[in-house]
Amino acid sequence: MASNERLYEVWMLYCTKRDPDYFKIWLEIFISSYEQCLDVDFEKPPSRPEEVPPVLTLLPDNILQVLRHQLLQCVQKASDGLEPEQQNLALLLLKFLIIICRNLSNVEEIGTCSYINHIITMTTLYIQQLKSRTKEKEMMDHSQAEDFVRHSLAFCESLYDPYRNWRHRTSREQLGTIERGRQKYKAAPLTVEFVPFFYQCFQESEHLKESLKCCLLHLFGAIVAGDQRNALLAISPATMEVLMRVLADSYMGSCSSDEAEDWESEAVSRMSLLTLGCLREVVQCLLASSSDQRQVEIASVLENYFKLLNSDPAAVVAGKQQQQQPAKGQVPTLGRQWEIRFVALQVQMLDTIRDMFLCSDRPVLQAIFLNSNCFEHLIRLLQNSKVIQGRLDSLAVATIKALTTVMHKSPAAK
């Protein structure tokens, strides 16, 4: 109650004196009252806030207009570089939007306003800064820029996956049809800015932190899992190119020097797992749509998938060894270390094929797999795997499991 009275008092001061500092104070008080709603970590399981933020009609009448004006000013100044104080204001505005969207009845209205496009414009500028690396920039503190990017992607999640369907799936909490049917509030319509934004984020992104790339992949998965209509807009040739390239980079072992120490690990990278999860959602979404709604066909996704799965490991291992420049008399070790990761990712890709079949229309998906020559691809995988000494067993088992899944209760496949 005290905070509500304080909010009212500060808002009246802002309206009377038109001093932006009072608006900033108002935002800070509001955000501190609903701090638990700022659930911006995609890796955490979804949680319900104990206290739901108010509906828009219970907020000051002109709050959305003031918000839009302040945000637009930040966008206009962002291209020239925001001062720390302005960066702080932009982040406060973003946090306010995230909190408001945790009351799901507000999502549609917030999503139809211009906020999302302003946020994407600023996020694009920040990501461009984070992608470019010079000696001067390496000395700079990028924590504010990274913080803004993480919150902006979480804001998008709030708009496009309000019920956190993607987080439920990544935390192994599969929602049933009945639970999905109870989701009465719709996701906001996807902005046309998303696909070019997503595509550009992964262009020349060697210096962009892997954790931020994972957030981008989480967001893509959230859009696909959050709403069928939005999913079909997001699943495009451009976004499929990004997913396949991310997976290929991991598949070919293109890692930065600071990851080299982890090569002994058999674990598949988080980025690879997220990309495979996104591809599983893509296939299941396309399967549930009609041909006139799709920009991409399942067959084309599978063609690129099998092509990647059957990449020649011997050639890649040889190439990686040639890239190594060991000290005189030292034997290069990357080949053995890398082949462990190589096979681990192949096994994960095969397991993902099985996950794709956790759908309501298995016979149709089986037919698509059959028409994609999946048996030939999987048999060739076993034949090519002989170069990987000592790792064939796990790959053979995963391949047979994938074949069994494709054939299950399918006379045509058998």
Side-chain angles (χ1 to χ4, degrees), residues 60-156:
D61 290 342
N62 58 336
I63 181 66
L64 295 184
Q65 183 180 350
V66 173
L67 194 72
R68 186 182 297 108
H69 175 71
Q70 294 289 337
L71 194 55
L72 186 57
Q73 282 193 322
C74 288
V75 171
Q76 290 169 344
K77 295 174 182 176
S79 56
D80 298 324
L82 291 177
E83 298 295 325
E85 190 174 333
Q86 294 169 325
Q87 287 183 322
N88 185 40
L89 174 60
L91 186 58
L92 286 174
L93 294 169
L94 190 46
K95 287 181 176 180
F96 173 79
L97 287 169
I98 293 171
I99 289 170
I100 284 300
C101 286
R102 293 313 294 141
N103 184 320
L104 304 189
S105 63
N106 295 330
V107 166
E108 193 168 6
E109 184 172 352
I110 294 294
T112 54
C113 297
S114 57
Y115 307 122
I116 182 61
N117 292 335
H118 293 329
I119 295 297
I120 285 181
T121 299
M122 289 186 66
T123 307
T124 302
L125 290 171
Y126 277 126
I127 286 181
Q128 290 301 327
Q129 290 175 19
L130 294 170
K131 285 199 298 187
S132 60
R133 181 178 290 182
T134 61
K135 286 186 177 179
E136 293 78 12
K137 288 186 177 180
E138 284 179 5
M139 300 296 291
M140 295 170 61
D141 180 11
H142 295 299
S143 56
Q144 276 192 305
E146 290 177 16
D147 206 19
F148 185 91
V149 171
R150 292 180 196 280
H151 280 80
S152 70
L153 300 180
F155 171 52
C156 292

Side-chain angles (χ1 to χ4, degrees), residues 259-279:
E259 294 173 319
E261 61 188 25
D262 193 39
W263 271 112
E264 290 288 359
S265 169
E266 293 189 30
V268 176
S269 74
R270 187 62 182 149
M271 273 185 65
S272 300
L273 291 174
L274 286 173
T275 306
L276 290 172
C278 288
L279 289 169

Side-chain angles (χ1 to χ4, degrees), residues 330-345:
Q330 183 181 346
V331 178
T333 57
L334 182 60
R336 175 59 182 166
Q337 294 166 348
W338 178 82
E339 72 177 33
I340 293 172
R341 297 288 290 273
F342 189 96
V343 174
L345 185 53

Side-chain angles (χ1 to χ4, degrees), residues 339-372:
E339 72 177 33
I340 293 172
R341 297 288 290 273
F342 189 96
V343 174
L345 185 53
Q346 284 182 312
V347 169
Q348 194 64 51
M349 289 182 72
L350 290 165
D351 289 345
T352 300
I353 289 175
R354 296 167 62 204
D355 290 340
M356 290 175 183
F357 280 89
L358 297 175
C359 59
S360 58
D361 207 348
R362 286 177 57 94
V364 173
L365 187 57
Q366 285 174 317
I368 295 172
F369 265 81
L370 287 173
N371 291 333
S372 299

Side-chain angles (χ1 to χ4, degrees), residues 362-371 373-376 403-414:
R362 286 177 57 94
V364 173
L365 187 57
Q366 285 174 317
I368 295 172
F369 265 81
L370 287 173
N371 291 333
N373 299 320
C374 69
F375 290 143
E376 289 84 347
L403 283 166
T404 303
T405 299
V406 175
M407 291 194 306
H408 184 63
K409 293 183 179 180
S410 173
K414 292 176 182 177

